[in-house]
Amino acid sequence: MSSVAVLTQESFNEHRSGLLPEQAGTSSAEPGVAADEEALPTYKDAFPPLPEKAASPDGAQEPANAWTSKLRPLKASVITQVFHVPLEERKYKDINQFGEGDQAKICVDIMQKTGAHLELSMAKDQGLSIMVSGKMDAVMKARKEIVSRLQTQASASVAIPKEHHRFVIGKNGEKLQELELKTATKIQIPRPDDPSNLIKISGTKEGLEKAKHEILLISAEQDKRAVERVSIDKVYHPFITGAFNKLVGEMSQETGARINVPPPSVNKTEIVITGEKEQVALAVAMIKKIHEEKKKNTTTIAVEVKKSQHKYVIGPRGNTLQEILEKTGVSVEIPPSDSSSETVILRGEPDRLGQALTEVYAKANSYTVASVSAPSWLHRFIIGKKGQNLAKITQQMPKVHIEFTEGEDRITLEGPTKDMQLVQSQIEAIVLDMVNRMDYTEISVDPKFHRHLIGKGGANINRIKDLHKVSVRIPPDNEKSNLIRIEGDPQGVQDAKKELLDLASRMENERTKDMIIEQRFHRAIIGQKGEKIKEVRDKFPEVIINFPDPAQKSDIVQLRGPRNEVEKCSKFMQKMVAEMVENSFSVSVPIFKQFHKNIIGKGGANIKKIREETNTKIDLPAENSNSEMIVITGKVANCEAAKTRILAIQKELANITEMEVSIPSKLHNSLIGSKGRFVRSIMEECGGVHIHFPTEGSGIDTVTIRGPAEDVEKARKQLLSLAEEKQIKSHTVELHAKPEYHKFLIGKGGSNIRKVRDSTGARIIFPTADDKDQELITVVGTEEAVRDAQKELEALIKSLDNVVEDFMAVDPKHHRYFVARRGQVLRDIAEEYGGVLVSFPRTTSQSDKVTLKGAKDCVEAAKKRMQDIVEDLDAQVTMECVIAQKFHRSIMGAKGSRIQQITRDHNVQIKFPDREDPQGPPAEPIVQENGETNGEVKEPADPDVPKKCDVIVLSGRKERCEAAVEALKALVPVTINVEVSYELHRYIIGQKGSGIRKMMDEYEVNIQVPAPDLQSDIICITGLATHLDRAKEGLLERVKELQLEQQDRALRSFKMTITVDPKYHPKIIGRKGAIITQIRNDHDVNIQFPEKNYENQDQITITGYERNTVSARDAIQAIVDELEEMVSEDIVLDSRVHARIIGARGKGIRKIMDEFKVDLRFPQSGAADPNMVTVTGRPELVDEAIDHLLNLEEEYMGDVVENESKQAFMKPRGGGGGGGGGGGGATEEPRGPSKGFVVREAPWASGSEKAPDMSSSEEFPSFGAPVAPKASPWGPKRF
């Protein structure tokens, strides 16, 4: 058995102190001299063995040895406890499932919930042992969970007095929680309204006993306290409490008992006294003495006081009653407020009752109530804006209360009698003045127009109020009243009435129209940040356009306004939608994910080029998306061109196989599945191949599969297998209808047939142009779906019998107008007139016969509309407008938006000339022979003839062309100059030009600010004449704002300098500037402290508004006044304990300063007196802090002395040499080589072991010193 020897500093010191002086000095004796071996310590004395872990059998305590007496126990932060659950108390007794079943799951759940670590083991008796490790708190929580969830629960109850229950619960239930955690039980305490005094406990048997014991202990502690209830007539309570509760407070302080007297509002006679028995008895005696004395000596008188005056006798919070009691010793009893009695009873000693009665009458008559007649509609004018009018009166007479009651034509005044007459006369004067110069009227307007009269954000009604200086009250919607009240100056009231009635009259002539616009176009019409719809609203300012909420999924857009304007706006928006429809064709192209980067190209070059050349929008999926689809949006032809180019790039890059499979077209829908589910699953299974079905209704059977050869073959087999399965299960029915009915059955965009398909689930196939039987309609699907679809189709075919066909003549020269732009005009007519079908003859036939087919009324209306269009075309003229070419771009606007607007508004065609190239090649010199050039004579250019590049050509009706010319000329930009002070230019421009850019965008003009070196005050504004005035106003408004800002800056730059002793500066600043920051924020000022090298170190500068600097100065002065009240005392604290007192990172000193509210200053290194510490604060707090510091010094000095004595032994001593002579020679000689620390009976002395070499740094390494590794034949070690 090997043992480990540990040499401690204590055992070393003991050994050294036990040696004789001559023994301590004989370590360098000559070899021939024999040492006294008996004096040497034994090995066991110097290195005592560690104590055995096992306890002695008889349980006797082990004798203390050198280790147990010296070492201090350390508390581990992680503890381990073992809990046993006997077999009979186990919840889960299924031995076969140990480690698997509910038991294990519960343990895992407990570990997650508490953070403790659990280990389960099974004892021989089938009991359960659970070892729980973790922090104390976690272990206790885990224990409670184990007991409640793994151990069967018993229950018990314990009865203690009801009044002790609250002590078991504790403050905020903390005591109860602690008790439950400690005993691992669940304790249920009856509610306060439950008369039961039984407390129920559930848990283990052991926990039940512990919990019962703890509860009974708490109850026993409370039994030591006494509770006494004394019944005293309510009328004598004021004499026991005394005025303002002074007397009862004095009794509580004198006796130490707690006395609870019910308040006057509680009709209880019982006074409760609690405390120690002796204290309670003394308090009860004092109360009874007062009661007997007052009962014997007091008498009562009853007086009548008006009910309305009772509150003046009571006073605020009953203070007046308390004052009378304090002054006269008489209690005044007032009847309750819900009683009709006016009798006031005075109770007290007879000689005091007269004085009290005088006080009661004085208080009752000190206030008067009066009323002033004033029409209720005038009340708010009398009050004034934010109570300004009344404030003038109430500031002079603050005790007077003025009350306005809604609906009553009077004002109630209440206040001191002496002030009432003056206030009443002032109010009457205001009322008289208001009645003479104010008027009101009421008008009746239908409630549905009220919100339009108010306007957006109250714009209309606020304008009327400000313009006519009146007040207008429009009833809220929930009142459903049609009366609008106007109040104010008589003339203003009449003007406002007239204007409101005019507005209401105009609204009655309004028209509301609902437009059907697909919801997908709503956002596009509105535009980014509402820009596009703002243009429409600006164009039709009288029309209100309401879009449905996106969540409603509605297609109805509502227009409301004057009839004509609504019609114009409706047509304008229909054109917008038609353009969007044309440009919103979308096609998806499947491209393998790995080729997307090649489609994009370096820096987006490829995709950008395709977009520009095909004029389409191309969207690629996000990099982290699994989608392979590239979406192309634009016109049909452009989308097809872009698709072809993208597929060509993929084909060049990879060896992709394309295969065509023939599958009957009637099966395509079922193969694709709902939202492409079936076909998507096939594509994913087959390595991401692309499967393309032909367009629905095309009748084409060919399905295209594209991808790697192996995957394409796999997909082909799956498709054919699925098609065969679908064909077996499908049901088919055939119907016959005239070919001309087919389009009506299909409906616009397939709308009619889609409804039938969605409602029944059947697929309806119409014949193509190549089919022999043009009347055959096939219905495919399940038997039930086919039957339902057949019924619906037959009903539709029957309804088509009412369709009529008509003809009209249209000159062939106009045919192109109707069919241009893919028949846009005809589409508009069809939409407007109930889907009328208009057919024009082929261009080669030169026929003027046009066919119209549809419902009779619709056909007639469409026919009339087409005749109007033809008349317009016949009346068309061409007109020229000369505008310098330099203005053409400005006139066109962004992407030609302005010119498109004029085209739509005036229904004309506008053609701009080609631009003149200013850098074109110069004309070749003309060689003349005899004054002729090739036989032709060139005449000089006429300066009055306009250049071709300046001529804009317009086509349309004459009056419309003329209006369009005017509109074009109005778009020619104009320049005006605005004078603005040069100093403000940089503020107008703003940071990096943001300010001027914002103005230019807002007013749609160009603003040119002169260069700084010119120092000119002239700013040039260029733009449309209609925009210039608004831009100029905006610029001048900005100038006003800047001038106000300059004035504000001047006001904010007020400076104030205050003188404060520099020693207070750190306190004013506060920790990390907290205090000074608070002052700066509270008063909105800048506070500057002097720099280190500044002469006047006592001056603090405050900058801001003058009133704010004054308030900030007062705040600083208040801090200084408080600091000047403080005292400073110097105490001497040994510098060796300073570090201990300060603590890690100043934690200790901060704690002391926070606890005693003082400031501590320790000396800096190199100070004259390193022990001097300064304590600053209030005198009483400074004394407490000094006592605390001196106590800490005394405590820490013991440790310092002990450490220094230890350090003394750690240093080598200078001792006498030779022969064991005296230890204190005058001259010190160097010591000889030491034998080290020598012990007797060491293990190596008797055996063959070699004694350790004390001089070896390897065997006895010093802390922190590197140890040279032993040389090895294998070379240095590698770690």
Side-chain angles (χ1 to χ4, degrees):
M1 177 179 173
S2 62
S3 62
V4 180
V6 180
L7 178 63
T8 66
Q9 184 64 44
E10 288 88 343
S11 59
F12 180 72
N13 290 340
E14 278 184 311
H15 170 64
R16 289 297 296 260
S17 62
L19 295 178
L20 295 172
E22 55 271 3
Q23 288 170 336
T26 56
S27 57
S28 59
E30 293 178 8
V33 180
D36 187 2
E37 288 191 6
E38 292 301 322
L40 293 173
T42 64
Y43 180 80
K44 283 189 178 178
D45 290 337
F47 305 103
L50 291 169
E52 294 293 332
K53 285 184 182 178
S56 55
D58 56 356
Q61 193 174 357
E62 222 178 76
N65 56 26
W67 294 107
T68 57
S69 62
K70 297 294 178 185
L71 295 177
R72 294 178 182 176
L74 293 174
K75 276 192 177 179
S77 62
V78 176
I79 65 164
T80 300
Q81 288 190 11
V82 179
F83 304 114
H84 298 281
V85 180
L87 176 63
E88 61 273 12
E89 291 184 16
R90 278 180 56 191
K91 260 192 188 176
Y92 305 98
K93 297 181 182 177
D94 189 354
I95 298 163
N96 297 330
Q97 283 195 346
F98 183 75
E100 304 174 357
D102 296 333
Q103 223 161 220
K105 289 176 185 173
I106 289 168
C107 287
V108 170
D109 187 43
I110 293 170
M111 286 196 284
Q112 289 174 348
K113 194 182 287 186
T114 62
H117 179 70
L118 274 66
E119 289 184 17
L120 271 75
S121 60
M122 189 86 78
K124 288 182 180 178
D125 61 355
Q126 302 304 322
L128 201 63
S129 293
I130 304 157
M131 188 168 72
V132 186
S133 304
K135 294 190 176 178
M136 173 67 80
D137 189 38
V139 169
M140 296 310 289
K141 285 181 182 174
R143 178 193 174 198
K144 185 181 173 186
E145 291 283 333
I146 288 165
V147 167
S148 65
R149 298 174 69 179
L150 293 178
Q151 204 164 351
T152 55
Q153 304 291 296
S155 62
S157 59
V158 58
I160 63 169
K162 187 80 175 175
E163 55 268 22
H164 294 177
H165 286 191
R166 62 194 181 91
F167 299 104
V168 176
I169 296 168
K171 188 179 180 182
N172 296 329
E174 289 173 3
K175 182 74 177 174
L176 182 62
Q177 289 174 11
E178 184 189 339
L179 198 58
E180 287 184 333
L181 204 60
K182 187 176 174 183
T183 61
T185 57
K186 177 69 179 172
I187 301 170
Q188 290 179 322
I189 296 174
R191 296 176 63 82
D193 53 1
D194 187 346
S196 172
N197 64 351
L198 284 177
I199 296 176
K200 293 179 182 176
I201 313 164
S202 58
T204 63
K205 290 178 183 177
E206 182 189 357
L208 290 177
E209 293 304 320
K210 281 185 184 177
K212 282 172 73 174
H213 175 68
E214 291 289 339
I215 291 168
L216 290 171
L217 270 180
I218 293 167
S219 182
E221 280 177 24
Q222 297 308 315
D223 279 336
K224 294 176 185 176
R225 297 176 64 81
V227 178
E228 190 77 34
R229 290 175 170 80
V230 182
S231 186
I232 304 287
D233 290 341
K234 189 77 178 175
V235 293
Y236 295 108
H237 284 194
F239 300 111
I240 291 164
T241 58
F244 300 105
N245 291 325
K246 285 180 183 174
L247 186 56
V248 76
E250 288 168 6
M251 282 195 285
S252 289
Q253 199 168 0
E254 186 180 334
T255 61
R258 184 177 172 188
I259 303 168
N260 184 14
V261 181
S265 58
V266 178
N267 191 21
K268 280 187 180 179
T269 59
E270 199 177 66
I271 297 173
V272 182
I273 306 105
T274 56
E276 298 294 333
K277 289 181 181 178
E278 297 81 8
Q279 296 172 344
V280 170
L282 183 58
V284 169
M286 292 174 77
I287 289 167
K288 285 183 176 178
K289 184 182 176 185
I290 293 169
H291 177 228
E292 293 300 327
E293 190 180 306
K294 292 296 177 183
K295 197 172 182 182
K296 183 179 177 183
N297 297 334
T298 57
T299 184
T300 61
I301 60 169
V303 293
E304 295 297 317
V305 177
K306 284 183 183 177
K307 191 74 179 175
S308 60
Q309 294 177 323
H310 285 190
K311 59 184 175 183
Y312 309 130
V313 178
I314 296 168
R317 297 182 183 177
N319 283 348
T320 305
L321 292 178
Q322 298 294 328
E323 286 170 11
I324 295 171
L325 181 61
E326 187 176 36
K327 193 183 290 185
T328 64
V330 175
S331 168
V332 182
E333 297 165 18
I334 307 287
S337 57
D338 55 357
S339 168
S340 60
S341 173
E342 295 187 339
T343 305
V344 175
I345 298 170
L346 283 72
R347 188 182 303 275
E349 295 175 9
D351 57 336
R352 299 287 189 90
L353 287 172
Q355 185 188 352
L357 186 58
T358 307
E359 288 286 336
V360 167
Y361 277 125
K363 296 295 182 183
N365 296 319
S366 62
Y367 277 72
T368 310
V369 176
S371 65
V372 176
S373 293
S376 60
W377 67 272
L378 272 181
H379 286 186
R380 52 202 188 86
F381 297 104
I382 294 167
I383 294 166
K385 192 175 183 182
K386 295 183 180 177
Q388 286 174 350
N389 296 348
L390 284 186
K392 295 171 187 174
I393 299 170
T394 52
Q395 281 168 7
Q396 294 171 359
M397 308 289 179
K399 292 185 179 178
V400 177
H401 176 67
I402 304 169
E403 186 177 341
F404 294 83
T405 308
E406 190 176 349
E408 290 188 10
D409 293 339
R410 63 188 174 87
I411 301 166
T412 308
L413 310 177
E414 184 181 331
T417 309
K418 58 182 181 182
D419 298 339
M420 283 294 289
Q421 193 173 355
L422 179 60
V423 173
Q424 190 172 352
S425 62
Q426 287 181 347
I427 293 285
E428 284 172 347
I430 292 171
V431 170
L432 186 62
D433 175 55
M434 292 282 185
V435 168
N436 290 335
R437 63 184 182 85
M438 300 289 283
D439 192 10
Y440 78 93
T441 187
E442 290 182 342
I443 59 172
S444 179
V445 176
D446 194 320
K448 69 182 179 182
F449 298 132
H450 287 184
R451 62 193 184 97
H452 307 303
L453 291 178
I454 294 166
K456 190 174 181 181
N460 291 349
I461 205 70
N462 289 337
R463 180 185 59 76
I464 292 168
K465 285 178 182 177
D466 295 342
L467 180 64
H468 303 297
K469 302 291 185 290
V470 293
S471 171
V472 183
R473 186 191 178 277
I474 296 177
D477 293 341
N478 56 0
E479 282 188 21
K480 295 184 180 176
S481 170
N482 59 357
L483 285 180
I484 295 175
R485 189 182 181 96
I486 310 165
E487 300 164 354
D489 177 69
Q491 184 58 44
V493 167
Q494 294 305 315
D495 293 344
K497 177 182 176 181
K498 185 176 180 299
E499 186 168 349
L500 283 170
L501 288 172
D502 288 347
L503 276 171
S505 168
R506 282 209 301 274
M507 283 171 194
E508 286 174 357
N509 295 325
E510 280 189 348
R511 182 199 168 185
T512 301
K513 182 175 181 179
D514 290 341
M515 290 185 67
I516 307 296
I517 298 175
E518 286 184 58
Q519 195 184 34
R520 63 193 176 107
F521 295 125
H522 289 189
R523 283 184 68 183
I525 293 169
I526 293 166
Q528 193 176 12
K529 296 181 181 177
E531 290 169 358
K532 289 191 177 178
I533 199 65
K534 185 176 180 295
E535 288 178 13
V536 178
R537 284 175 175 148
D538 290 345
K539 185 176 178 60
F540 304 100
E542 294 181 54
V543 179
I544 296 170
I545 305 168
N546 288 325
F547 283 86
D549 191 304
Q552 292 177 355
K553 309 265 178 162
S554 172
D555 294 340
I556 297 172
V557 178
Q558 193 179 72
L559 310 181
R560 192 183 62 254
R563 196 177 300 276
N564 294 337
E565 290 297 308
V566 165
E567 286 300 325
K568 288 179 184 175
C569 183
S570 172
K571 288 179 182 177
F572 180 78
M573 290 184 70
Q574 282 173 350
K575 286 181 181 178
M576 282 180 71
V577 173
E579 287 176 12
M580 286 177 186
V581 170
E582 189 178 352
N583 292 315
S584 64
F585 178 78
S586 178
V587 65
S588 297
V589 187
I591 298 293
F592 290 100
K593 195 79 177 176
Q594 63 265 35
F595 301 131
H596 282 199
K597 62 177 182 289
N598 306 97
I599 303 292
I600 295 166
K602 191 174 181 181
N606 289 356
I607 200 75
K608 189 178 178 183
K609 188 178 178 184
I610 295 170
R611 281 172 180 156
E612 287 175 356
E613 291 181 3
T614 60
N615 193 22
T616 54
K617 180 186 173 187
I618 303 172
D619 294 318
L620 285 90
E623 285 184 20
N624 55 359
S625 166
N626 293 325
S627 172
E628 295 183 335
M629 288 293 178
I630 295 176
V631 181
I632 308 168
T633 310
K635 293 184 177 178
V636 178
N638 295 347
C639 289
E640 290 298 329
K643 177 182 175 181
T644 306
R645 292 182 63 168
I646 288 171
L647 287 172
I649 293 172
Q650 178 181 249
K651 202 166 185 180
E652 286 174 16
L653 293 167
N655 182 20
I656 301 298
T657 303
E658 191 173 293
M659 183 183 286
E660 291 182 350
V661 181
S662 182
I663 296 172
S665 58
K666 64 184 180 181
L667 299 176
H668 289 186
N669 266 6
S670 58
L671 289 176
I672 293 168
S674 176
K675 296 180 182 177
R677 188 178 59 200
F678 291 159
V679 76
R680 199 161 48 244
S681 66
I682 295 170
M683 288 194 287
E684 286 170 4
E685 269 185 58
C686 303
V689 296
H690 295 148
I691 300 172
H692 176 70
F693 284 84
T695 310
E696 190 177 350
S698 64
I700 299 170
D701 294 343
T702 306
V703 178
T704 308
I705 309 170
R706 189 185 301 114
E710 190 178 336
D711 294 335
V712 166
E713 182 57 31
K714 188 178 176 184
R716 184 185 71 83
K717 287 178 181 176
Q718 283 203 23
L719 268 178
L720 290 172
S721 170
L722 193 60
E724 189 178 347
E725 184 184 334
K726 293 283 179 187
Q727 202 159 11
I728 293 166
K729 289 183 181 178
S730 67
H731 186 72
T732 307
V733 163
E734 293 179 348
L735 299 171
H736 286 81
K738 292 178 183 178
E740 56 266 28
Y741 288 174
H742 289 189
K743 286 186 182 178
F744 292 98
L745 290 172
I746 293 166
K748 185 184 174 186
S751 58
N752 293 346
I753 211 66
R754 196 179 298 118
K755 284 178 189 174
V756 177
R757 189 177 297 155
D758 292 344
S759 64
T760 63
R763 177 176 167 76
I764 297 137
I765 304 163
F766 284 85
T768 62
D770 300 330
D771 290 340
K772 291 180 181 178
D773 190 349
Q774 289 293 303
E775 292 186 356
L776 182 66
I777 301 171
T778 309
V779 186
V780 181
T782 62
E783 188 174 354
E784 186 182 354
V786 168
R787 188 168 58 250
D788 293 344
Q790 183 181 3
K791 284 180 184 176
E792 288 192 33
L793 282 172
E794 284 173 348
L796 278 172
I797 292 165
K798 194 174 180 181
S799 68
L800 289 176
D801 292 337
N802 295 326
V803 172
V804 298
E805 192 173 64
D806 201 356
F807 304 95
M808 66 178 289
V810 176
D811 195 319
K813 67 181 179 182
H814 299 315
H815 288 193
R816 188 177 177 187
Y817 174 81
F818 286 97
V819 297
R821 290 178 297 147
R822 298 187 183 173
Q824 181 62 47
V825 176
L826 295 179
R827 280 205 300 275
D828 291 345
I829 291 169
E831 285 175 16
E832 193 169 352
Y833 300 106
V836 171
L837 180 64
V838 184
S839 302
F840 278 80
R842 295 182 180 278
T843 51
T844 53
S845 66
Q846 292 298 315
S847 171
D848 62 355
K849 186 179 177 183
V850 177
T851 307
L852 292 89
K853 190 181 291 182
K856 188 175 181 182
D857 294 342
C858 297
V859 166
E860 289 299 324
K863 190 174 178 182
K864 188 174 182 305
R865 172 68 183 135
M866 288 178 68
Q867 285 169 349
D868 292 344
I869 293 170
V870 170
E871 283 177 19
D872 284 350
L873 293 171
D874 287 333
Q876 201 170 65
V877 297
T878 300
M879 195 174 285
E880 292 183 350
C881 175
V882 179
I883 295 174
Q885 191 184 42
K886 63 180 180 180
F887 298 128
H888 287 190
R889 181 172 290 179
S890 173
I891 290 168
M892 286 181 184
K895 296 181 181 178
S897 58
R898 287 178 177 170
I899 211 69
Q900 288 168 13
Q901 189 71 30
I902 293 171
T903 304
R904 286 194 294 270
D905 290 350
H906 301 284
N907 196 15
V908 296
Q909 297 295 321
I910 302 172
K911 187 176 186 306
F912 278 78
D914 295 334
R915 289 181 63 80
E916 186 179 48
D917 188 0
Q919 297 181 352
E924 292 182 8
I926 299 167
V927 181
Q928 294 187 351
E929 293 180 6
N930 301 324
E932 294 181 355
T933 307
N934 296 333
E936 293 181 3
V937 179
K938 290 278 185 182
E939 293 184 7
D942 187 350
D944 295 331
V945 176
K947 294 181 181 178
K948 281 187 180 180
C949 60
D950 296 340
V951 178
I952 301 169
V953 179
L954 296 89
S955 303
R957 275 183 176 267
K958 186 179 180 183
E959 62 274 13
R960 290 175 183 168
C961 287
E962 287 170 353
V965 167
E966 292 302 319
L968 284 171
K969 288 181 177 177
L971 292 175
V972 176
V974 183
T975 301
I976 60 167
N977 295 332
V978 182
E979 191 171 344
V980 176
S981 177
Y982 168 73
E983 289 79 16
L984 298 177
H985 286 191
R986 61 196 182 96
Y987 300 113
I988 289 168
I989 293 168
Q991 190 176 14
K992 295 183 180 177
S994 60
I996 202 161
R997 269 201 307 276
K998 184 182 175 185
M999 290 176 72
M1000 289 195 290
D1001 292 343
E1002 186 177 350
Y1003 302 116
E1004 298 180 31
V1005 294
N1006 181 41
I1007 302 174
Q1008 192 171 1
V1009 179
D1013 52 343
L1014 297 176
Q1015 295 198 352
S1016 169
D1017 292 341
I1018 302 300
I1019 292 179
C1020 298
I1021 306 175
T1022 305
L1024 301 182
T1026 52
H1027 295 168
L1028 289 179
D1029 290 340
R1030 203 159 61 92
K1032 184 179 178 181
E1033 283 175 18
L1035 180 60
L1036 294 174
E1037 191 65 35
R1038 178 66 180 143
V1039 169
K1040 280 183 190 174
E1041 286 175 17
L1042 292 170
Q1043 287 170 344
L1044 288 173
E1045 284 175 17
Q1046 281 185 330
Q1047 291 170 12
D1048 187 57
R1049 276 197 293 273
L1051 291 172
R1052 285 179 72 92
S1053 60
F1054 178 81
K1055 283 191 178 181
M1056 178 185 285
T1057 304
I1058 60 171
T1059 303
V1060 176
D1061 193 322
K1063 69 181 179 182
Y1064 297 138
H1065 289 191
K1067 285 291 180 186
I1068 295 168
I1069 293 167
R1071 190 171 174 218
K1072 294 183 180 178
I1075 295 172
I1076 201 66
T1077 303
Q1078 185 69 33
I1079 294 171
R1080 283 174 178 147
N1081 293 340
D1082 288 350
H1083 303 285
D1084 192 22
V1085 293
N1086 182 31
I1087 303 173
Q1088 198 69 35
F1089 285 83
E1091 298 286 342
K1092 285 187 178 179
N1093 303 324
Y1094 188 61
E1095 291 179 9
N1096 302 321
Q1097 284 293 306
D1098 59 352
Q1099 289 190 351
I1100 298 173
T1101 305
I1102 308 171
T1103 310
Y1105 293 117
E1106 186 174 357
R1107 63 179 183 279
N1108 292 0
T1109 56
V1110 171
S1111 58
R1113 178 202 65 192
D1114 294 343
I1116 292 171
Q1117 192 60 48
I1119 295 170
V1120 172
D1121 292 344
E1122 191 178 335
L1123 292 170
E1124 284 177 345
E1125 289 178 11
M1126 295 183 179
V1127 296
S1128 290
E1129 284 193 31
D1130 294 336
I1131 60 167
V1132 176
L1133 284 181
D1134 196 306
S1135 59
R1136 291 174 292 177
V1137 300
H1138 286 191
R1140 288 280 302 272
I1141 291 171
I1142 292 166
R1145 297 184 182 178
K1147 192 176 180 181
I1149 194 173
R1150 275 201 303 276
K1151 186 180 177 185
I1152 295 168
M1153 290 196 289
D1154 291 344
E1155 187 178 345
F1156 295 99
K1157 303 292 187 292
V1158 295
D1159 185 51
L1160 299 181
R1161 286 284 177 266
F1162 284 80
Q1164 294 183 345
S1165 57
D1169 187 354
N1171 300 326
M1172 189 66 70
V1173 177
T1174 305
V1175 187
T1176 307
R1178 294 188 178 277
E1180 64 278 7
L1181 297 173
V1182 167
D1183 293 342
E1184 289 178 17
I1186 288 172
D1187 291 344
H1188 182 69
L1189 288 169
L1190 293 173
N1191 289 338
L1192 287 176
E1193 181 195 31
E1194 186 178 343
E1195 181 186 337
Y1196 296 156
M1197 278 305 294
D1199 294 342
V1200 170
V1201 171
E1202 186 181 342
N1203 286 337
E1204 286 183 349
S1205 65
K1206 288 179 185 177
Q1207 291 297 325
F1209 291 107
M1210 299 300 288
K1211 297 174 185 175
R1213 290 187 177 188
T1227 58
E1228 292 186 359
E1229 294 180 7
R1231 296 172 62 184
S1234 171
K1235 288 184 180 179
F1237 181 64
V1238 183
V1239 293
R1240 291 181 292 117
E1241 300 174 13
W1244 54 81
S1246 58
S1248 58
E1249 292 181 31
K1250 185 184 173 185
D1253 183 4
M1254 298 272 295
S1255 61
S1256 167
S1257 62
E1258 252 186 75
E1259 294 192 25
F1260 292 92
S1262 60
F1263 287 113
V1267 179
K1270 287 183 179 179
S1272 168
W1274 302 103
K1277 290 181 182 178
R1278 290 180 175 86
F1279 298 101

